[in-house]
Amino acid sequence: MKGRGVKRMAIVACALAGLIFAGSAAARKRAAEKTSQTQSSATLAGAQKFLDEAESRYFELTNKAQRASWVEENFITDDTEQIAADANQELTAFSAEMSKKAHDFDKLTLPPEMARKMLLLKLSAGFPGPADPKEQKELAQVLASLDGDYGKGKWCPSRDSSKCLDVTAVGKLMATSRDAEELKRAWIGWHAVGAPMRQRYARMVELGNAGSRELGFADAGALWRSNYDMPPEQLAKEADRLWSQLRPRYESLHAYVRGQLGKKYGDRSVPAHGPIPAHLLGNIWSQEWNNVYALMDSPKPAQSYDLTKILQDRKTDAKGMARYGEAFFTSLGFAPLPKTFWERSLFTKPGDRDVVCHASAWDIDSKDDLRIKMCIQITEEDFRTIHHELGHNFYQRAYDAQPPLFQNSANDGFHEAVGDTIALSVTPEYLKQIGLIEMVPPASGDIDYLLQQALEKVAFLPFGLLVDKWRWEVFAGKVKPEDYNKVWWELRRKYQGIVPPAERTEADFDPGAKYHVPSNTPYMRYFLARILQFQFQHALCREAGYAGPLHRCSIYGNKTAGEKLSRMLAMGQSKPWPEALEALTGEKQMDASALADYFAPLKTWLDEQNKTKHYAVGW
């Protein structure tokens, strides 16, 4: 999902000067009413003209920027970076101009749809540059270069450049290796990609803050937090409220995983009462821990299965993985993906060039040119990921009949949550329905299944929260460039109970080793999506008539649930997100209780394990 555009408007005023009737009070009243109606009509007409022209231009520039970004991320060169920078500069400058001019209508009482569009225009700048064209150009070039640096990033274990590893290869190594020293080298090697970004990132912050202040926001972080139909300070409180509901579940999981890793690597590597070293959790960023599941001693049912092995034994290829995802949506009643999706998407990493391998879904023309860009591995993790990414694509197509300013999710957390909701339906029951397994493990295996889910879903929660907590403090000037790395690791220790495997200094810039920081993609959406997806799943399973444990529910093949989902998706951003949430769930507030209920049996089991095994809780 890329940025939005804003429009220009000229306010039209019709003054009827000197029109005085020398007659009755009623005559004067009728004349005043007529004058007021004429003024109102002209003013509303001017506002409508502004919106129409701005939306048309925004539509054009957004599609141009999308195409340029697609090419740049798939063919990373100095030239494509410049082309993408130019297109994004044009869109950003237009958005900032329209954001300012939308305020010209602040004194008008507009019809609800027009008022909604004006609000979205004011927020559409995303990460605006200052009005100075030179600084706009500089910001666009910095953003393109940071994105390109990440895409070109490699770790070279030896002097032989032919053996250098990109992010996908490093990720695979860290997911599968159990050699602590090798994992440490890989972790340090990949995180070196961030160090050259530091100075440019600091300049990016300066320019984005200057542009945000010109639009009336305290800083870029305040602009980002204003995109949730609530005051920016309320979003931060809302995130803290949701985290407080879930922290006890994370702490129980953390204690158990730390104890299990201690069995594998020893107390010297994994202190029994301290934070977990970041390189031992099976993920480059320690954000999800499902890759260390094999080290856990949860009770394995006799009918357990290895989906990765099943997919590989069946010679499933990258497109075949995507076909499974498409079939899930068509089973709900959605139309198949367009032919161009299969022709234009990137499914595997090319051998002849650098690309940004981070999985992403694209709507190139805001009509039907849907694509994904993903270096698909034939694994269970990517099987779930492809279901998630296609959730973006089907959402994009569902709202393509909306006006351009409404062609987005209700809030950015909704976009992520829809795909995650579908991934929650990748249950053993679903896998049996599509013929990937022959038998569903019995209820005795539920704890093991929930643990696998928690290592992904629950483990992610504090990371999803802290990335933007760090950026909000950076944008607000509370964290200076000379303390970027220090505060990054303070937050990771506080929220995740994670520490780096080697000493880090301000010569490092470890936030830059995470795609969403150099690409300047807001991250709160992922935290909110972890909450919303369980609310969505609970509502859809209820709609499907399912009455069993939520973790056993798959909506695959249920067109009643599919219709309910489709109606919400089609709303796009035309209404405030609480109305979209209510349309699907009957609730107007984000609530973590569905997530808590989903994992309640696991929480009980984890607490018993931690007590029995003397695993301390906390760090």
Side-chain angles (χ1 to χ4, degrees):
M1 299 298 295
K2 302 296 178 183
R4 276 201 172 282
V6 193
K7 317 153 187 141
R8 174 193 187 292
M9 97 188 153
I11 201 164
V12 178
C14 255
L16 301 179
L19 192 58
I20 306 294
F21 284 85
S24 67
R28 288 196 300 274
K29 182 179 178 182
R30 286 195 300 271
E33 288 174 348
K34 183 177 180 180
T35 300
S36 175
Q37 289 169 0
T38 303
Q39 289 175 327
S40 175
S41 175
T43 302
L44 288 175
Q48 186 64 65
K49 183 173 185 290
F50 164 72
L51 287 171
D52 290 344
E53 291 177 353
E55 277 197 298
S56 175
R57 181 64 174 153
Y58 158 73
F59 184 83
E60 175 189 339
L61 292 177
T62 297
N63 292 339
K64 179 180 178 181
Q66 283 282 81
R67 291 189 185 281
S69 293
W70 173 266
V71 173
E72 183 264 326
E73 291 204 0
N74 283 279
F75 301 87
I76 303 173
T77 68
D78 292 341
D79 292 329
T80 58
E81 284 183 9
Q82 185 61 56
I83 291 168
D86 291 344
N88 280 301
Q89 178 192 351
E90 189 177 9
L91 173 60
T92 301
F94 174 79
S95 299
E97 179 188 1
M98 295 301 100
S99 180
K100 292 175 185 175
K101 292 186 176 181
H103 286 283
D104 292 348
F105 295 101
D106 283 351
K107 293 182 179 180
L108 281 180
T109 300
L110 298 173
E113 182 174 313
M114 290 178 67
R116 179 78 177 157
K117 288 183 178 182
M118 286 294 184
L119 171 64
L120 294 175
L121 276 177
K122 293 171 185 176
L123 298 171
S124 65
F127 198 79
D132 184 336
K134 290 183 179 178
E135 291 185 325
Q136 287 177 8
K137 183 175 183 179
E138 181 186 2
L139 177 60
Q141 290 174 332
V142 167
L143 289 169
S145 70
L146 290 172
D147 190 57
D149 275 8
Y150 186 91
K152 291 181 288 190
K154 288 182 174 63
W155 168 51
C156 300
S158 68
R159 294 182 180 180
D160 183 351
S161 60
S162 67
K163 295 183 179 179
C164 293
L165 307 179
D166 64 9
V167 65
T168 302
V170 176
K172 187 174 182 180
L173 184 155
M174 296 200 70
T176 56
S177 175
R178 298 293 180 254
D179 181 328
E181 284 304 313
E182 181 180 43
L183 289 168
K184 182 177 179 179
R185 289 194 301 273
W187 189 97
I188 293 171
W190 175 255
H191 278 73
V193 73
M197 301 177 186
R198 172 189 283 270
Q199 187 173 350
R200 279 171 293 151
Y201 188 84
R203 179 58 176 158
M204 181 206 78
V205 171
E206 291 176 358
L207 293 168
N209 275 343
S212 298
R213 293 186 188 111
E214 289 179 8
L215 298 180
F217 297 94
D219 54 61
L223 192 161
W224 281 7
R225 294 192 300 278
S226 297
N227 279 281
Y228 293 91
D229 296 303
M230 62 177 72
E233 62 275 9
Q234 187 178 340
L235 174 68
K237 292 178 182 177
E238 189 74 352
D240 288 338
R241 177 184 68 81
L242 293 166
W243 171 237
S244 69
Q245 285 184 270
L246 298 169
R247 178 166 183 161
R249 282 152 184 81
Y250 177 79
E251 290 178 339
S252 292
L253 180 68
H254 180 281
Y256 173 74
V257 170
R258 178 180 56 196
Q260 296 288 289
L261 291 176
K263 283 171 56 180
K264 170 64 179 177
Y265 296 106
D267 290 345
R268 293 185 63 184
S269 296
V270 187
H273 298 275
I276 301 173
H279 64 302
L280 298 178
L281 286 160
N283 179 274
I284 298 177
W285 312 280
S286 317
Q287 66 181 55
E288 291 165 338
W289 307 345
N290 43 301
N291 289 319
V292 298
Y293 159 72
L295 300 179
M296 306 295 111
D297 64 4
S298 53
K300 307 293 189 290
Q303 295 88 350
S304 61
Y305 58 87
D306 182 340
L307 184 56
T308 295
K309 185 175 186 302
I310 292 168
L311 291 167
Q312 292 174 355
D313 287 348
R314 292 187 175 214
K315 305 278 191 275
T316 310
D317 62 10
K319 281 191 176 182
M321 297 273 279
R323 290 286 185 190
Y324 279 117
E326 179 192 41
F328 192 106
F329 283 92
T330 57
S331 83
L332 299 178
F334 291 86
L337 291 162
K339 181 182 177 184
T340 52
F341 173 88
W342 303 102
E343 297 169 343
R344 299 172 183 175
S345 291
L346 183 137
F347 298 102
T348 57
K349 188 180 188 309
D352 61 345
R353 63 182 190 272
D354 291 319
V355 301
V356 176
C357 266
H358 186 87
S360 54
W362 298 66
D363 179 11
I364 299 294
D365 64 356
S366 302
K367 292 177 184 174
D368 208 37
D369 190 353
L370 305 169
R371 309 178 192 179
I372 60 164
K373 178 181 59 59
M374 181 178 171
C375 303
I376 297 174
Q377 306 290 307
I378 310 306
T379 64
E380 177 172 358
E381 182 176 3
D382 277 11
F383 185 81
R384 294 180 184 274
T385 299
I386 196 67
H387 284 70
H388 169 95
E389 292 303 330
L390 293 187
H392 289 298
N393 288 138
F394 281 94
Y395 203 163
Q396 289 160 342
R397 186 165 62 182
Y399 58 57
D400 67 7
Q402 291 282 358
L405 277 172
F406 295 158
Q407 289 184 14
N408 207 338
S409 55
N411 68 40
D412 54 11
F414 274 62
H415 233 307
E416 299 301 328
V418 167
D420 280 347
T421 301
I422 301 304
L424 283 176
S425 278
V426 180
T427 61
E429 286 78 2
Y430 163 62
L431 298 177
K432 183 177 185 298
Q433 281 182 279
I434 63 175
L436 284 176
I437 63 174
E438 295 181 0
M439 185 177 296
V440 174
S444 60
D446 282 8
I447 291 299
D448 185 62
Y449 178 74
L450 285 171
L451 178 61
Q452 292 181 62
Q453 289 285 79
L455 289 170
E456 177 188 348
K457 304 291 186 181
V458 177
F460 175 82
L461 289 166
F463 186 79
L465 183 66
L466 72 85
V467 173
D468 273 356
K469 277 190 171 288
W470 177 81
R471 281 194 288 201
W472 293 345
E473 292 190 5
V474 167
F475 292 149
K478 296 178 182 177
V479 176
K480 307 298 183 187
E482 57 268 25
D483 291 321
Y484 278 171
N485 228 41
K486 172 176 169 285
V487 175
W488 172 256
W489 283 107
E490 287 175 351
L491 288 171
R492 297 203 68 179
R493 183 180 184 121
K494 175 182 177 181
Y495 285 96
Q496 281 188 287
I498 299 293
V499 289
E503 183 182 357
R504 311 306 284 169
T505 71
E506 294 306 323
D508 303 301
F509 182 54
D510 293 328
K514 175 61 183 169
Y515 168 76
H516 299 77
V517 174
S519 72
N520 212 36
T521 304
Y523 211 72
M524 183 53 55
R525 62 186 66 177
Y526 301 102
F527 174 75
L528 297 179
R530 283 295 197 271
I531 311 299
L532 288 166
Q533 64 188 264
F534 290 92
Q535 279 186 274
F536 290 177
Q537 180 74 344
H538 182 263
L540 290 170
C541 290
R542 183 177 63 231
E543 192 72 17
Y546 179 81
L550 188 57
H551 62 270
R552 285 273 186 167
C553 173
S554 177
I555 62 169
Y556 175 77
N558 193 288
K559 290 184 169 53
T560 303
E563 184 180 351
K564 183 96 170 182
L565 177 62
S566 180
R567 285 198 300 269
M568 188 277 282
L569 300 184
M571 293 171 68
Q573 203 173 13
S574 63
K575 304 289 183 184
W577 66 260
E579 294 187 35
L581 181 63
E582 185 180 31
L584 184 62
T585 69
E587 302 162 344
K588 281 195 167 186
Q589 185 181 43
M590 289 181 285
D591 181 45
S593 60
L595 188 157
D597 290 346
Y598 185 100
F599 289 108
L602 178 68
K603 174 68 162 60
T604 300
W605 183 83
L606 287 172
D607 289 345
E608 291 172 353
Q609 293 295 303
N610 291 335
K611 183 178 179 180
T612 302
K613 299 177 187 294
H614 305 291
Y615 291 163
V617 176
W619 50 87

